[in-house]
Amino acid sequence: MDTYPNISDHGLIGDLQTAALVATDGTIDWFCGPRFDSPSIFAALLDQRRGGHFRVSPGRADYITKQLYLPDTAILITRFMTPDGVGEVYDFMPVTPGPATDRHRLVRLIRVVRGRMRFDLDCRPRPGYGRERHRLEIHDEGAVFHGDTVDITLHPAGERISEHAEIHATEGGIRSTLDLAAGQAAGVVLDTAEAGHAVAPRRVPEEEILRMLDTTTRFWRRWTRGSRYTGRWRETVARSAITLKLMTYAPTGALVAAPTAALPEQIGGERNWDYRYTWIRDASFSVYALLGLGFTAEAEAFATWLRDRVVEQAGDGSGPLKIMYRVHGSSDLVEETLDHFEGYRGSAPVRIGNGAADQLQLDIYGEMMDSLFHADTHGITIGHRGWSEMSRVVDWLCDHWDRSEEGIWETRGGRQDFTYGRMMSWVALDRAVRLAESRGRPSHQSLWRITRDSVYQQVMDRGWSRDRKAFVQHYGSPVLDASLLLMPLIGFVEPRDPMWLSTLDAMDQELVSDSLVYRYDPAASPDGLKGSEGTFSMCTFWYVDALARSGRLEYARLTFEKMLTYANHLGLFSEEIGLTGEQLGNFPQAFSHLALVNAAVNLDYQLDHGSGWVGPVLGLSTA
């Protein structure tokens, strides 16, 4: 198991339709195509022997490696320092505007900047999660892997690789060795296409690969210039914004929760989920973050994707909306186990698909309505059909808000009356009333108002525990839950209300560990799963905002700064942080970076206006 890199020892590249992880040793060990949620082509991250990989690394073991991004881009540079020289590998995927395509390019540009170096190239695709057969053809000008569903072409790039490198077949893949001196460059371009439509291999001139590098650089720098954030944490926020953009499926505007599947929340445990889908909740939070940074086009695309799901009314008995969808809008997410994969460092089962898709989670309606309300205040309005269908969803919620549900954390231990779900039902009804009033739209406002007030009163009566002197996870339970950190952000309670301050104090004592925040205690609230988990990075960023709004600005700032020390070497966050600071769960995690952006912008604003000032919410809106 020591051959597996740390989850954090990776950078992310992509072309806004799919993405790949590149480890610090130069190995691409995760890559799916043609979409984020397609079967894997390289998946050594989940099984070193059967998953497949594409490695470019020095031909010796005694090297030091460092990674960085080309500033203001998604172009990853892996540097290798050896006794003989220093070399670099530039990894990127050119972005092709327009509709979805089955063809994607992955470029690996190799250059030596000091001395001499020998690089070993080892490419072993294993399409279809390692289950598909493939046939290898080696040509004078490259190689082609013919698979059952995908064809993969390798093109040599640059004169040096053409003159001095020979390609050899080995163990279902190819190997090659490349010797370069300072100032020399070479590379490989990997092309994927639908089976039967392989791109013919060819020698790619060095000037062409450099042109692709330049075009990709200009794309990302032009995009990052659109950010209007100029606060204290500019570089950190910019990297999070680029990471979120990398996890966006451009043809539909959908944001995946993470580009990976089955990375464990506990090493050796069973909490291994597939996050390559778009949650209603995540899409909603992305609207706030992107509008806060000034990326209106992306926010509008997310809002449009969200409205399309409402119009489709694709739900069943669990509600008018599914909690998650594929990036193109389908709700087919059947969960299965890949028994032939051992899992990351033996963490089985390896799951693809997601069985939580059919759960009832009432909070999604609040997050959806609040994001649409927030978008409306920025000129992204809802048309007649969208309003009509949205009104039906709100009417449905009036009849069903009092049902037990699985909750925001998608527990598998049975339905409960979750306080957070009730609270977000209140948000849905409140924002619906405000939208109807501000736009003069037809609605059942009287019913919505009466129901909204009933939800509020029930939460205050049953969500509050006199024994704990705190709002609790679900009615009748003493368990605390970090999702309730959002109570002051959404305007459900005033941030200086004694009931809220008492809740925050209780969370400080029970859920917070050196500024890091657990979402809840699994031992105290059985969730139907074995094992434990780390602290949730998203919850820590929520904690920062709650502290700031409650007048504890200096502690909020310290907590935020301490949290940033847990980022990986590139500024990326997974879902969780382990006991010794290791990253756990799928990587990178959209929700972590969305929460980081919102916390940074809100904390900046409040620091600039003094500890007694509570400003407009950027996160979940109240105005």
Side-chain angles (χ1 to χ4, degrees):
M1 297 304 167
D2 291 340
T3 60
Y4 285 87
N6 294 328
I7 290 173
S8 60
D9 288 346
H10 291 87
L12 182 72
I13 61 173
D15 64 359
L16 309 188
Q17 293 190 35
T18 186
L21 291 185
V22 185
T24 52
D25 68 353
T27 302
I28 295 176
D29 53 15
W30 182 258
F31 175 52
C32 300
R35 297 193 314 246
F36 294 104
D37 55 357
S38 298
S40 64
I41 294 171
F42 302 121
L45 194 56
L46 297 181
D47 194 300
Q48 290 281 294
R49 294 171 297 165
R50 304 179 185 89
H53 64 261
F54 186 2
R55 181 176 296 118
V56 176
S57 59
R60 57 192 303 163
D62 56 340
Y63 63 83
I64 296 172
T65 180
K66 304 284 186 180
Q67 277 186 329
L68 71 154
Y69 279 108
L70 192 65
D72 296 328
T73 78
I75 297 169
L76 183 67
I77 306 172
T78 305
R79 289 170 54 82
F80 298 101
M81 299 150 192
T82 74
D84 294 331
V86 178
E88 300 175 335
V89 179
Y90 284 62
D91 284 305
F92 63 96
M93 297 181 69
V95 178
T96 304
T101 176
D102 286 329
R103 183 184 176 186
H104 299 276
R105 278 185 166 181
L106 198 158
V107 181
R108 314 205 72 180
L109 173 61
I110 308 161
R111 59 194 295 261
V112 171
V113 295
R114 298 184 68 186
R116 298 191 65 91
M117 282 190 65
R118 189 187 76 192
F119 282 92
D120 290 340
L121 285 68
D122 183 3
C123 184
R124 305 184 191 188
R126 297 292 185 269
Y129 304 112
R131 296 183 293 196
E132 291 186 11
R133 300 169 300 172
H134 66 271
R135 175 173 52 87
L136 171 62
E137 290 181 355
I138 296 180
H139 301 253
D140 291 338
E141 298 184 340
V144 181
F145 297 88
H146 296 280
D148 294 337
T149 61
V150 63
D151 287 342
I152 304 157
T153 303
L154 287 180
H155 311 278
E159 293 301 320
R160 300 296 303 177
I161 199 168
S162 302
E163 294 173 1
H164 299 280
E166 292 185 2
I167 297 176
H168 303 282
T170 176
E171 300 179 31
I174 61 170
R175 292 181 63 91
S176 183
T177 301
L178 180 65
D179 288 299
L180 295 174
Q184 294 179 333
V188 178
V189 178
L190 183 147
D191 254 310
T192 65
E194 185 181 0
H197 296 81
V199 179
R202 66 184 179 89
R203 299 179 190 273
V204 179
E206 184 175 337
E207 56 269 22
E208 182 178 341
I209 200 171
L210 292 176
R211 190 163 55 248
M212 285 191 283
L213 176 65
D214 180 65
T215 300
T216 305
T217 300
R218 285 189 285 108
F219 169 84
W220 284 106
R221 287 182 172 166
R222 184 170 57 249
W223 185 81
T224 55
R225 282 198 299 270
S227 174
R228 68 185 183 197
Y229 178 79
T230 58
R232 294 167 176 81
W233 299 281
R234 186 173 181 177
E235 289 187 7
T236 298
V237 168
R239 181 50 53 194
S240 287
I242 292 172
T243 303
L244 292 168
K245 181 72 170 176
L246 279 170
M247 290 189 279
T248 301
Y249 185 67
T252 64
L255 175 77
V256 296
T260 55
L263 290 180
E265 297 175 15
Q266 178 189 26
I267 303 300
E270 67 171 346
R271 299 167 185 260
N272 317 317
W273 314 112
D274 189 349
Y275 276 10
R276 298 171 299 154
Y277 310 113
T278 301
W279 269 250
I280 292 289
R281 185 180 301 113
D282 292 31
S284 300
F285 277 85
S286 68
V287 171
Y288 320 132
L290 290 168
L291 283 176
L293 296 179
F295 293 115
T296 305
E298 283 76 11
E300 184 171 7
F302 288 138
T304 300
W305 180 90
L306 195 55
R307 290 199 298 265
D308 287 345
R309 305 290 78 76
V310 173
V311 170
E312 287 172 358
Q313 294 285 294
D316 51 22
S318 63
L321 288 175
K322 297 287 187 180
I323 68 167
M324 71 182 87
Y325 297 83
R326 293 186 180 273
V327 290
H328 63 290
S330 166
S331 57
D332 176 21
L333 285 87
V334 176
E335 186 174 301
E336 63 174 302
T337 299
L338 301 180
D339 293 325
H340 62 290
F341 274 180
E342 68 181 9
Y344 176 81
R345 294 185 179 174
S347 303
V350 173
R351 296 184 178 94
I352 57 171
N354 201 308
D358 293 325
Q359 288 187 355
L360 174 65
Q361 297 178 19
L362 292 172
D363 67 280
I364 66 172
Y365 299 100
E367 288 138 359
M368 176 195 71
M369 288 302 305
D370 198 66
S371 65
L372 293 178
F373 176 80
H374 194 58
D376 184 82
T377 63
H378 285 74
I380 305 172
T381 57
I382 303 170
H384 171 70
R385 185 182 178 193
W387 174 257
S388 298
E389 297 299 337
M390 192 192 73
S391 296
R392 290 175 188 162
V393 171
V394 178
D395 289 342
W396 177 90
L397 187 62
C398 287
D399 293 331
H400 296 273
W401 67 269
D402 205 16
R403 292 172 60 182
S404 297
E405 45 144 351
E406 277 85 6
I408 181 177
W409 306 127
E410 298 172 4
T411 58
R412 301 195 178 190
R415 294 184 174 184
Q416 299 288 349
D417 297 326
F418 284 104
T419 304
Y420 180 75
R422 298 295 200 276
M423 181 178 74
M424 295 309 295
S425 295
W426 173 88
V427 170
L429 294 159
D430 180 72
R431 304 316 188 250
V433 168
R434 297 188 189 200
L435 273 172
E437 286 181 339
S438 64
R439 294 294 177 183
R441 298 289 177 83
S443 64
H444 299 138
Q445 273 199 59
S446 296
L447 173 63
W448 295 356
R449 288 174 181 274
I450 292 171
T451 308
R452 177 195 64 184
D453 296 347
S454 296
V455 177
Y456 177 88
Q457 196 59 54
Q458 187 190 87
V459 172
M460 287 299 184
D461 291 342
R462 301 180 61 193
W464 171 261
S465 169
R466 289 185 175 85
D467 294 334
R468 295 303 311 269
K469 294 182 173 56
F471 289 100
V472 291
Q473 183 181 67
H474 57 82
Y475 298 166
S477 166
V479 177
L480 301 179
D481 194 308
S483 65
L484 300 181
L485 287 165
L486 291 177
M487 294 185 88
L489 277 70
I490 62 173
F492 192 86
V493 298
E494 290 299 316
R496 307 299 178 91
D497 188 304
M499 294 176 73
W500 167 246
L501 293 177
S502 177
T503 300
L504 187 58
D505 288 341
M507 290 186 183
D508 284 339
Q509 296 172 19
E510 189 168 304
L511 298 183
V512 180
S513 174
D514 187 34
S515 79
L516 298 174
V517 181
Y518 291 94
R519 56 182 183 167
Y520 58 89
D521 180 1
S525 179
D527 54 15
L529 298 164
K530 298 177 183 178
S532 61
E533 60 187 20
T535 58
F536 261 58
S537 298
M538 168 184 65
C539 295
T540 302
F541 290 121
W542 288 351
Y543 179 57
V544 169
D545 209 324
L547 288 171
R549 292 179 188 281
S550 300
R552 298 164 64 181
L553 268 176
E554 288 305 314
Y555 185 45
R557 182 173 185 174
L558 177 60
T559 299
F560 187 74
E561 293 284 5
K562 289 171 73 173
M563 183 58 186
L564 296 185
T565 69
Y566 290 100
N568 84 337
H569 57 289
L570 296 167
L572 307 184
F573 285 93
S574 64
E575 183 176 34
E576 301 180 18
I577 304 296
L579 184 62
T580 58
E582 71 275 19
Q583 303 247 13
L584 295 171
N586 285 303
F587 177 89
Q589 176 81 359
F591 230 153
S592 299
H593 287 277
L594 289 168
L596 183 157
V597 169
N598 286 334
V601 176
N602 285 340
L603 186 55
D604 260 323
Y605 209 77
Q606 295 194 36
L607 285 168
D608 290 341
H609 289 78
S611 60
W613 185 86
V614 179
V617 173
L618 175 64
L620 290 170
S621 56
T622 60

